[in-house]
Amino acid sequence: MDFYATDAQVEELERTAGAASGGGRLEPLVALAWHLRQRDVARAARVAREAEALVDAGRGESPQQGPLPARIALTLAECALLNSHVEEATALCQRARSQFESCGDVAGVGDVALLASRIAEVDGMRERELGFYREALDAYRAAGDVQRIAHARLWTVLASGFGDPGSVASELRLIRSEVMRPSPSVEAHLRFIEGVLAFQQNAFLEVVPIFSEVVPSARACGMLEQAFRAEAGLVSAHSNLGDREASCATAERLLARARQLGWPRAIGHALANFARQLSDTGQPERAIELLAEARSVLGDHPRARGYAIATYYLGDACLALGRNEEALEHLRHAESIMRDLGSQPEVACLLAIGAQALSRLGRAREALDSANAALELARSTKARLWEVEALRSLAEIYGTHGTELGEPDNVALALRHLEQALEVVGSIGGHHEKSQLHTEIARAHEAAGDLSRALAAERTARAEEVKEKDRRAVNQLLLAQERHETERAKERARDLESALSTLENLRLVGQDITSHLDPAEMLEAMHRHLGRFADVTFTGVFVFDAAGARLTRYAIERGRPLPISDVQLADFESYAARAARERVEICIEAEEGARAAARIPGTEPTRTFWFAPMVVKDQLLGVLTVQTTTLGAYGEREKLVFRTICGYAAVAFANARAHGQLEEKHRRLGETESEMRKLATTDPLTGLANRRRFFATAESEVSRAIRYGGAIGVVMADLDRFKSINDQGGHGAGDRVISAVSTVLRAQQRPHDVIGRMGGEEFAFVLPGADLEATMKAAERIRVAVEALEVEYAGAPFRATISLGCAAVVDAQTLRGSSAAELEDLLRAADAALYEAKRLGRNRVHGAPDALQRRAEAREA
């Protein structure tokens, strides 16, 4: 029995099984169940049970039924595995192996080993997985089954990883040469591995057409798992090409397909994949929700790669939200699993990102060790992207904690690591990372007070963004040739191939257009170049003025500039205004026999005209129009060229606007610097001191009290059951409550009091001159005021209570430690009192003993 069958073969089995009766139905039913196992798990199981009943009924008459009972057991085993019933699948595998061995079906034994390898993969048992692949290959060679041998070799290549792409490519060529007539399933499998290899080599423009081809061909062979993996690969390929819209849309379709299949592991992987795209597009909160669901679905196999990846994505999303402790926990968990699986590049990645979490938690030495370990592992495994991540982590650590680590020249160290990261990115052709790294270099110069270099680095970052925009436009042009399913689309793709030969010219055109800052000069360059690619008699650019709700037209007809004029955005007769309002491409042709349009006095009648909006980062800059007196002049090839040049024009106009604003920005830079310093030390939601500023100011107050004497009090406060507010009204409601509470705190604040938001719903106060009694009275006033608050959000009322822990020292001159150590001791005591307030029922104030009394009690104990 073949390992896979085409849709046509399955249809024939349906007819055969339907026409047969009695014992004659057994063999076609078994074959039908086997080939339905991935197409329709529930139906495959039903058909297999029906065949099993026929086996039981026929045992008395024909006890020798060959391998059919074993094939039934193996079918049910795969159905159980796809439904994540691993123990059931394992037991059925053992039964099938015993039955295949008893009847001497060597190929069947190989099929069992192949399924056992997938069970081992689910359980995260890598060595067992590879061992079963070897066993399957040996069995297939003994059976002389060429097609199964090819499948086993390909699975082994995939499971062994791609440490040496050259060896993998050689193995694929060897398989192709040895399998002279590959079955459709082997061909789909080969193409899938070729796609994975291209992905590993960062050839994403090759990946998209390969995986787009694999998805339908694998489905047609009943290889739905492979089709699912190929579609997941498409998500990542589009993401790496910078096409966020395509990657998110594909990820969403993949999740819908997984839910339709009903396979828990597929659902979990699709959830994680979609969540990753959401996180990368600035939606980490939504990503965390999906990742929690993914981990729940995958939780039966917590040592599997899929669970590790979902955990890694969860940690990364938490890090983006500043939930650093939680992020670190998830990242270390994922790292542990990847270490067990022997996935060294992924371990390097997780060490690098974990170092960032440690740095942001203030654990500088641990962060440094983690980042150095990541860098060493990434370099030893040639994982260049993770080498970049490790270098970025080191830059962040030295930039933030250099002095603490004994490196006074911390900015220079940070810049050196960022420059090394740039070199690596340049060597591997990374583009998006360049703009990020230049932005980080700008921040480092800014932190050092070197504003001129910061501005230069920021300009370089913006230039890299422009280059990336150009690359994406070319990528989309290249990928467009693969988007065809019919003969008509194939013909269009052949037309596109001729357009691809002009890409280098288009690149030069883009350089010319973007080198100009004046709209008239840009228009002249566009008109000159467009004539080389298409029949163009008229070119116009409509520059958008948002304040005036109008478009200013600059136009050229056959090299002759036309008068500048304005078109109102609300002009419903203007195609340019419509293209701007609706942000749509418009192509109009005058009908045969109809009069050609000539809406501009003194110009030639137009037969074909094309309009498209010029947009950069969702900002409308204007509209480009290309027109001709020839009817039907613009096919798909010409439109693709126009779209590309329109993209260049948009970038050029964005550059012009940016240049016009540059001097103003430079003038305001000094003014902005002080505001930036304020923002760097202020919590943006509440306006209170952030954690860093709180500690600096509080330590100064403690130092002053130690020097001059007097009491000093400390309060730690935490809103009670705050999660229920977020659960009920969302994060918007939670933010509204925290903002209202901060207003209460400021109202209670005396001139020398220090108040800070420590993170989340936690606050801290330092009260100079307050002993424990005064500190607790102040805390009680806050508690009462918070309890009286009623906050409205989205039409619903929300209330909150607060628990507060207090600590104080009567005379700070009696303290013998450093101001930092004594502050830490007071905060620790207040935090313990806060914990006790929570334990005693919340919404209360609890005090800790005086610092000296606590130390005396500690000595006596």
Side-chain angles (χ1 to χ4, degrees), residues 126-127 129-131 133-134 137 152-164 167-168 171 193 196 200 229 305 341-343 345:
R126 180 174 172 78
E127 291 305 318
E129 177 191 357
L130 293 172
Y133 280 129
R134 289 190 291 269
L137 189 54
R153 289 172 70 181
L154 290 166
W155 279 118
T156 303
V157 166
L158 187 63
S160 299
F162 288 74
D164 183 357
S167 298
V168 173
E171 176 70 359
I193 304 295
V196 175
Q200 293 287 329
R229 292 187 181 197
R305 182 182 180 82
L341 294 173
S343 300

Side-chain angles (χ1 to χ4, degrees), residues 11-194:
E11 289 175 10
E12 182 60 31
L13 282 172
E14 295 267 20
R15 286 191 290 270
T16 303
S21 61
R25 295 188 71 229
L26 178 58
E27 189 168 345
L29 273 181
V30 173
L32 179 61
W34 173 244
H35 292 304
L36 286 173
R37 67 193 189 276
Q38 288 188 24
R39 288 178 167 93
D40 187 339
V41 172
R43 184 161 177 246
R46 287 198 302 272
V47 174
R49 294 296 183 194
E50 184 182 350
E52 194 171 45
L54 287 174
V55 168
D56 292 339
R59 274 207 172 94
E61 300 174 6
S62 177
Q64 299 299 323
Q65 295 168 320
L68 294 181
R71 185 62 59 182
I72 293 169
L74 190 58
T75 301
L76 292 170
E78 184 157 353
C79 292
L81 178 60
L82 292 171
N83 285 323
S84 289
H85 302 151
V86 177
E87 291 183 3
E88 181 185 350
T90 303
L92 286 164
C93 259
Q94 292 170 351
R95 189 175 102 193
R97 178 190 291 275
S98 175
Q99 291 171 333
F100 277 128
E101 287 174 345
S102 67
C103 66
D105 188 331
V106 182
V109 172
D111 292 349
V112 173
L114 208 57
L115 186 61
S117 67
R118 289 161 60 195
I119 294 173
E121 178 196 5
V122 169
D123 285 333
M125 303 171 70
R126 180 174 172 78
E127 291 305 318
R128 284 176 61 83
E129 177 191 357
L130 293 172
F132 281 125
Y133 280 129
R134 289 190 291 269
E135 182 183 335
L137 189 54
D138 290 342
Y140 293 153
R141 283 173 173 154
D145 191 318
V146 176
Q147 305 295 334
R148 277 180 163 87
I149 291 170
H151 277 302
R153 289 172 70 181
L154 290 166
W155 279 118
T156 303
V157 166
L158 187 63
S160 299
F162 288 74
D164 183 357
S167 298
V168 173
S170 298
E171 176 70 359
L172 293 177
R173 287 194 296 270
L174 187 60
I175 293 172
R176 282 199 176 279
S177 68
E178 292 178 0
V179 185
M180 300 303 295
R181 294 182 179 177
S183 65
S185 64
V186 169
E187 180 61 34
H189 205 161
L190 274 163
R191 290 294 285 157
F192 176 75
I193 304 295
E194 287 168 353

Side-chain angles (χ1 to χ4, degrees), residues 392-597:
R392 289 176 65 190
S393 298
L394 285 166
E396 178 178 332
I397 293 162
Y398 282 118
T400 308
H401 305 288
T403 305
E404 178 185 343
L405 292 167
E407 298 289 350
D409 200 4
N410 58 330
V411 174
L413 269 173
L415 286 168
R416 188 191 314 159
H417 285 99
L418 290 171
E419 287 162 0
Q420 289 176 17
L422 266 177
E423 290 176 9
V424 176
V425 167
S427 71
I428 61 177
H431 303 303
H432 177 62
E433 294 84 358
K434 281 187 176 180
S435 62
Q436 292 178 332
L437 286 166
H438 281 295
T439 298
E440 289 168 21
I441 288 171
R443 289 174 185 156
H445 281 307
E446 181 183 330
D450 193 338
L451 297 183
S452 61
R453 290 188 178 179
L455 184 59
E458 190 64 30
R459 287 174 180 164
T460 305
R462 299 292 77 78
E464 287 295 337
E465 285 183 1
V466 170
K467 290 180 184 177
E468 179 62 14
K469 175 76 174 178
D470 295 347
R471 293 185 190 99
R472 290 175 185 174
V474 173
N475 288 344
Q476 289 168 0
L477 182 66
L478 287 165
L479 290 173
Q481 67 176 315
E482 299 298 335
R483 294 171 186 163
H484 60 85
E485 296 178 355
T486 63
E487 286 301 316
R488 180 181 176 186
K490 290 179 182 178
E491 183 179 349
R492 185 174 72 242
R494 286 193 293 271
D495 292 338
L496 284 174
E497 288 176 0
S498 65
L500 295 180
S501 65
T502 67
L503 282 176
E504 179 59 21
N505 288 331
L506 283 173
R507 184 182 66 81
L508 297 174
V509 170
Q511 289 181 351
D512 189 10
I513 294 171
T514 54
S515 67
H516 298 289
L517 295 174
D518 179 69
E521 291 177 352
M522 291 182 214
L523 177 64
E524 196 280 328
M526 280 189 284
H527 186 73
R528 184 176 66 252
H529 290 300
L530 281 165
R532 296 164 50 198
F533 295 104
D535 181 359
V536 178
T537 58
F538 178 100
T539 305
V541 169
F542 296 77
V543 181
F544 179 54
D545 176 10
R550 67 176 180 269
L551 299 161
T552 300
R553 190 202 69 211
Y554 300 82
I556 292 180
E557 185 184 65
R558 297 192 186 276
R560 176 175 62 95
L562 300 177
I564 298 172
S565 64
D566 287 343
V567 176
Q568 295 302 312
L569 191 63
D571 185 347
F572 288 95
E573 292 185 0
S574 166
Y575 289 117
R578 178 187 160 196
R581 285 195 309 270
E582 301 178 12
R583 297 198 182 189
V584 294
E585 178 182 317
I586 301 170
C587 188
I588 305 293
E589 294 183 0
E591 296 182 1
E592 290 289 351
R595 292 184 60 188

